[in-house]
Amino acid sequence: MSRKEQLGQVFRFALVGGVNTGTFFVIYLLLHPWMPYFAAYSLAFVLAMVGSFFMNTYFTYRTRPTWKKFFLFPLTNITNFVIQSVGLYALVTWAGMDTRIAPLVAAVVAIPFTFLISRKILVPGAARAGAVSTGAASVTGSSAGSSAGSSTGSSAESSSRV
């Protein structure tokens, strides 16, 4: 994958993140009058995550969704939460950053990690393909993975499309 293609993925990932955040907030505001705030928050979060899965699958990484990818995708949110939480704590406690600014800084710091995890889940073999294209030896020994720009996957993935 070329540097230009990688930058395109990063840009699309950020765009999807913005759309997803807006979607979450609108759903939350629509549900909030009809149910307790935490139920509205939880349902909005799950619905936005499902939307994010499909937007990232089709738009960001231009690959096909599968059930396996769908069930692994929440790991991106867990990763994001952990990195942001640790970052927030470190920025406030150790760096003395203002608590109104620190969450934004922690969120920005988490973006590359979330991008890499979502890419690994949604584009199987992307890391391996990157290693092959740079001349590095592959350690997996598997030929079932696909390249980062390909929309095909292993035969098990192809048979379990969402």
Side-chain angles (χ1 to χ4, degrees), residues 14 21-22 36-37 40 43 48 52 58 61 76 91 102 111 125 149:
T21 300
Y37 78 93
L43 186 55
S52 178
Y58 287 118
Y61 302 109
T76 64
L91 290 168
I111 290 171

PDB file of all heavy atoms in Angstrom, residues 14 21-22 36-37 40 43 48 52 58 61 76 91 102 111 125 149:
ATOM      1  N   ALA A  14     -10.732   9.384  10.154  1.00  0.00           N
ATOM      2  CA  ALA A  14     -11.059  10.582  10.940  1.00  0.00           C
ATOM      3  C   ALA A  14     -12.443  11.112  10.563  1.00  0.00           C
ATOM      4  O   ALA A  14     -13.222  11.512  11.438  1.00  0.00           O
ATOM      5  CB  ALA A  14      -9.996  11.654  10.724  1.00  0.00           C
ATOM      6  N   THR A  21     -19.419  10.259  15.827  1.00  0.00           N
ATOM      7  CA  THR A  21     -19.643  11.034  17.048  1.00  0.00           C
ATOM      8  C   THR A  21     -20.949  11.821  16.941  1.00  0.00           C
ATOM      9  O   THR A  21     -21.753  11.840  17.876  1.00  0.00           O
ATOM     10  CB  THR A  21     -18.458  11.982  17.315  1.00  0.00           C
ATOM     11  OG1 THR A  21     -17.280  11.183  17.458  1.00  0.00           O
ATOM     12  CG2 THR A  21     -18.669  12.813  18.560  1.00  0.00           C
ATOM     13  N   GLY A  22     -21.161  12.448  15.795  1.00  0.00           N
ATOM     14  CA  GLY A  22     -22.403  13.190  15.577  1.00  0.00           C
ATOM     15  C   GLY A  22     -23.620  12.281  15.605  1.00  0.00           C
ATOM     16  O   GLY A  22     -24.648  12.619  16.204  1.00  0.00           O
ATOM     17  N   PRO A  36     -34.397   6.447  30.517  1.00  0.00           N
ATOM     18  CA  PRO A  36     -33.370   6.992  31.402  1.00  0.00           C
ATOM     19  C   PRO A  36     -32.087   7.318  30.615  1.00  0.00           C
ATOM     20  O   PRO A  36     -31.772   6.646  29.623  1.00  0.00           O
ATOM     21  CB  PRO A  36     -33.118   5.864  32.408  1.00  0.00           C
ATOM     22  CG  PRO A  36     -34.358   5.035  32.373  1.00  0.00           C
ATOM     23  CD  PRO A  36     -34.890   5.136  30.973  1.00  0.00           C
ATOM     24  N   TYR A  37     -31.370   8.337  31.070  1.00  0.00           N
ATOM     25  CA  TYR A  37     -30.215   8.827  30.312  1.00  0.00           C
ATOM     26  C   TYR A  37     -29.173   7.747  30.040  1.00  0.00           C
ATOM     27  O   TYR A  37     -28.604   7.686  28.955  1.00  0.00           O
ATOM     28  CB  TYR A  37     -29.564  10.036  31.008  1.00  0.00           C
ATOM     29  CG  TYR A  37     -28.687   9.693  32.182  1.00  0.00           C
ATOM     30  CD1 TYR A  37     -27.321   9.504  32.023  1.00  0.00           C
ATOM     31  CD2 TYR A  37     -29.226   9.546  33.463  1.00  0.00           C
ATOM     32  CE1 TYR A  37     -26.518   9.170  33.095  1.00  0.00           C
ATOM     33  CE2 TYR A  37     -28.435   9.221  34.533  1.00  0.00           C
ATOM     34  CZ  TYR A  37     -27.077   9.034  34.350  1.00  0.00           C
ATOM     35  OH  TYR A  37     -26.291   8.708  35.412  1.00  0.00           O
ATOM     36  N   ALA A  40     -30.376   5.475  27.306  1.00  0.00           N
ATOM     37  CA  ALA A  40     -30.260   6.201  26.031  1.00  0.00           C
ATOM     38  C   ALA A  40     -28.807   6.241  25.565  1.00  0.00           C
ATOM     39  O   ALA A  40     -28.503   6.024  24.386  1.00  0.00           O
ATOM     40  CB  ALA A  40     -30.810   7.610  26.178  1.00  0.00           C
ATOM     41  N   LEU A  43     -27.747   2.572  24.401  1.00  0.00           N
ATOM     42  CA  LEU A  43     -28.328   2.200  23.116  1.00  0.00           C
ATOM     43  C   LEU A  43     -27.718   3.037  21.983  1.00  0.00           C
ATOM     44  O   LEU A  43     -27.390   2.503  20.917  1.00  0.00           O
ATOM     45  CB  LEU A  43     -29.850   2.354  23.156  1.00  0.00           C
ATOM     46  CG  LEU A  43     -30.610   1.876  21.929  1.00  0.00           C
ATOM     47  CD1 LEU A  43     -30.276   0.418  21.588  1.00  0.00           C
ATOM     48  CD2 LEU A  43     -32.118   2.028  22.161  1.00  0.00           C
ATOM     49  N   ALA A  48     -24.383   3.466  17.285  1.00  0.00           N
ATOM     50  CA  ALA A  48     -23.308   4.201  16.625  1.00  0.00           C
ATOM     51  C   ALA A  48     -22.133   3.283  16.308  1.00  0.00           C
ATOM     52  O   ALA A  48     -21.489   3.417  15.259  1.00  0.00           O
ATOM     53  CB  ALA A  48     -22.865   5.376  17.485  1.00  0.00           C
ATOM     54  N   SER A  52     -20.558   2.654  12.789  1.00  0.00           N
ATOM     55  CA  SER A  52     -19.123   2.846  12.601  1.00  0.00           C
ATOM     56  C   SER A  52     -18.491   1.627  11.934  1.00  0.00           C
ATOM     57  O   SER A  52     -17.633   1.764  11.058  1.00  0.00           O
ATOM     58  CB  SER A  52     -18.459   3.099  13.951  1.00  0.00           C
ATOM     59  OG  SER A  52     -17.067   3.236  13.807  1.00  0.00           O
ATOM     60  N   TYR A  58     -16.857  -0.338   4.675  1.00  0.00           N
ATOM     61  CA  TYR A  58     -17.070   0.021   3.283  1.00  0.00           C
ATOM     62  C   TYR A  58     -16.299   1.262   2.839  1.00  0.00           C
ATOM     63  O   TYR A  58     -15.749   1.299   1.746  1.00  0.00           O
ATOM     64  CB  TYR A  58     -18.568   0.253   3.014  1.00  0.00           C
ATOM     65  CG  TYR A  58     -19.369  -1.020   2.985  1.00  0.00           C
ATOM     66  CD1 TYR A  58     -20.384  -1.234   3.902  1.00  0.00           C
ATOM     67  CD2 TYR A  58     -19.121  -2.009   2.042  1.00  0.00           C
ATOM     68  CE1 TYR A  58     -21.136  -2.399   3.888  1.00  0.00           C
ATOM     69  CE2 TYR A  58     -19.854  -3.185   2.016  1.00  0.00           C
ATOM     70  CZ  TYR A  58     -20.864  -3.370   2.934  1.00  0.00           C
ATOM     71  OH  TYR A  58     -21.595  -4.522   2.911  1.00  0.00           O
ATOM     72  N   TYR A  61     -11.819   1.393   4.841  1.00  0.00           N
ATOM     73  CA  TYR A  61     -10.904   0.337   4.422  1.00  0.00           C
ATOM     74  C   TYR A  61     -11.312  -0.354   3.127  1.00  0.00           C
ATOM     75  O   TYR A  61     -10.560  -1.166   2.605  1.00  0.00           O
ATOM     76  CB  TYR A  61     -10.731  -0.690   5.548  1.00  0.00           C
ATOM     77  CG  TYR A  61     -10.213  -0.051   6.803  1.00  0.00           C
ATOM     78  CD1 TYR A  61     -11.031   0.112   7.916  1.00  0.00           C
ATOM     79  CD2 TYR A  61      -8.910   0.418   6.880  1.00  0.00           C
ATOM     80  CE1 TYR A  61     -10.558   0.709   9.066  1.00  0.00           C
ATOM     81  CE2 TYR A  61      -8.433   1.021   8.028  1.00  0.00           C
ATOM     82  CZ  TYR A  61      -9.271   1.161   9.114  1.00  0.00           C
ATOM     83  OH  TYR A  61      -8.800   1.760  10.251  1.00  0.00           O
ATOM     84  N   THR A  76     -11.966  -2.325  19.120  1.00  0.00           N
ATOM     85  CA  THR A  76     -11.460  -0.985  18.807  1.00  0.00           C
ATOM     86  C   THR A  76     -11.945   0.020  19.850  1.00  0.00           C
ATOM     87  O   THR A  76     -11.198   0.907  20.252  1.00  0.00           O
ATOM     88  CB  THR A  76     -11.873  -0.514  17.400  1.00  0.00           C
ATOM     89  OG1 THR A  76     -13.299  -0.384  17.332  1.00  0.00           O
ATOM     90  CG2 THR A  76     -11.397  -1.471  16.327  1.00  0.00           C
ATOM     91  N   LEU A  91      -2.142  12.708  32.018  1.00  0.00           N
ATOM     92  CA  LEU A  91      -2.104  14.138  31.696  1.00  0.00           C
ATOM     93  C   LEU A  91      -2.530  15.005  32.878  1.00  0.00           C
ATOM     94  O   LEU A  91      -1.940  16.053  33.135  1.00  0.00           O
ATOM     95  CB  LEU A  91      -2.980  14.430  30.478  1.00  0.00           C
ATOM     96  CG  LEU A  91      -2.464  13.897  29.143  1.00  0.00           C
ATOM     97  CD1 LEU A  91      -3.546  13.996  28.072  1.00  0.00           C
ATOM     98  CD2 LEU A  91      -1.215  14.648  28.705  1.00  0.00           C
ATOM     99  N   ALA A 102      -7.578  18.018  28.938  1.00  0.00           N
ATOM    100  CA  ALA A 102      -6.934  16.697  28.928  1.00  0.00           C
ATOM    101  C   ALA A 102      -7.724  15.621  28.175  1.00  0.00           C
ATOM    102  O   ALA A 102      -7.120  14.830  27.447  1.00  0.00           O
ATOM    103  CB  ALA A 102      -6.631  16.249  30.354  1.00  0.00           C
ATOM    104  N   ILE A 111      -6.155   8.085  18.754  1.00  0.00           N
ATOM    105  CA  ILE A 111      -6.565   7.873  17.355  1.00  0.00           C
ATOM    106  C   ILE A 111      -5.649   6.908  16.600  1.00  0.00           C
ATOM    107  O   ILE A 111      -6.143   5.971  15.971  1.00  0.00           O
ATOM    108  CB  ILE A 111      -6.728   9.213  16.609  1.00  0.00           C
ATOM    109  CG1 ILE A 111      -7.950   9.960  17.149  1.00  0.00           C
ATOM    110  CG2 ILE A 111      -6.848   9.002  15.100  1.00  0.00           C
ATOM    111  CD1 ILE A 111      -8.079  11.384  16.643  1.00  0.00           C
ATOM    112  N   GLY A 125      -4.684  -9.378   7.278  1.00  0.00           N
ATOM    113  CA  GLY A 125      -3.468  -9.485   6.486  1.00  0.00           C
ATOM    114  C   GLY A 125      -2.854  -8.150   6.125  1.00  0.00           C
ATOM    115  O   GLY A 125      -1.832  -8.111   5.452  1.00  0.00           O
ATOM    116  N   GLY A 149      -5.534  -3.275   0.265  1.00  0.00           N
ATOM    117  CA  GLY A 149      -6.511  -2.668  -0.626  1.00  0.00           C
ATOM    118  C   GLY A 149      -7.471  -3.666  -1.229  1.00  0.00           C
ATOM    119  O   GLY A 149      -8.362  -3.306  -1.975  1.00  0.00           O
TER     120      GLY A 149
END
